[in-house]
Amino acid sequence: MADFEQDTDKKHGSTFSSLYKSKEEAIQKRVETLYKSMSFSEGTEPNWTNFHDCFTSSAQFINANLDAPMFLDVRTFAQVLDNQIKEHSIPQIFTEEVSHRTQIFGKIAQRFSVFANKIELDGEPTTRGINSIQLICAKGNWLIQSISWYNERTDDQIPTTFL
């Protein structure tokens, strides 16, 4: 834990541990930043700077909804989403975490994050699923190394133990 407490956060100029009292809080903040950065209202776009700041340089997205998994690096995932926004196939979207389970050992963490996507901020979810998020603590900063996701289906509901 000593190296966790001694490293500094470049943006805030203070120790990372002074910003967040625990590893769990730091991971919570990282996931909140991820979902908030991906959410946007019509006429705006995701906060790409905050989005990219959530990840390691080699991070990847893994779409488990297809017959075979599809692997995308962060830049490609952002390009695909940006193209869908520009084509107006996604005019706006709001993603939020519904519940989560986090396991931490040293500088690695695994978070099962149940998410809901909404088209209207106060509307009902249009999509729910689970993001399996792997994080690593590098220089006192929890960053996402990978996200594998699977969307809920009528024949494959999210288990109540996750909700």
Side-chain angles (χ1 to χ4, degrees):
M1 179 110 161
D3 58 346
F4 178 78
E5 294 177 357
Q6 293 172 1
D7 292 319
T8 60
D9 181 277
K10 293 177 189 172
K11 291 182 181 176
H12 298 97
S14 59
T15 62
F16 192 74
S17 64
S18 69
L19 294 173
Y20 309 108
K21 296 188 186 326
S22 71
K23 293 178 182 184
E24 176 73 32
E25 284 179 329
I27 291 167
Q28 177 68 31
K29 181 65 176 164
R30 176 61 67 212
V31 173
E32 286 173 5
T33 299
L34 170 69
Y35 288 145
K36 186 175 181 181
S37 71
M38 294 175 65
S39 299
F40 63 96
S41 300
E42 191 167 359
T44 67
E45 62 181 36
N47 184 328
W48 293 122
T49 300
N50 286 353
F51 175 79
H52 287 286
D53 286 348
C54 289
F55 298 94
T56 66
S57 60
S58 61
Q60 61 181 335
F61 283 82
I62 305 156
N63 183 344
N65 291 292
L66 309 170
D67 288 338
M70 179 172 49
F71 297 83
L72 303 165
D73 61 29
V74 174
R75 186 178 56 82
T76 304
F77 179 88
Q79 286 175 338
V80 169
L81 181 57
D82 194 47
N83 287 341
Q84 291 174 330
I85 295 165
K86 288 178 177 156
E87 294 167 358
H88 302 289
S89 59
I90 302 177
Q92 66 181 19
I93 196 162
F94 305 97
T95 303
E96 62 184 20
E97 185 171 60
V98 175
S99 64
H100 68 271
R101 288 184 183 178
T102 304
Q103 295 176 308
I104 303 167
F105 175 67
K107 292 183 167 189
I108 61 173
Q110 160 65 41
R111 185 177 187 105
F112 278 101
S113 174
V114 177
F115 68 88
N117 288 327
K118 299 177 180 182
I119 300 300
E120 299 293 330
L121 185 58
D122 296 325
E124 291 296 315
T126 55
T127 308
R128 289 188 339 165
I130 294 181
N131 284 326
S132 173
I133 304 172
Q134 291 71 47
L135 301 101
I136 189 162
C137 188
K139 297 182 181 178
N141 194 16
W142 284 95
L143 297 171
I144 298 168
Q145 176 55 42
S146 68
I147 299 176
S148 300
W149 82 93
Y150 185 72
N151 294 339
E152 182 177 53
R153 302 165 190 266
T154 55
D155 64 336
D156 205 0
Q157 299 287 307
I158 295 171
T160 56
T161 56
F162 283 99
L163 297 172

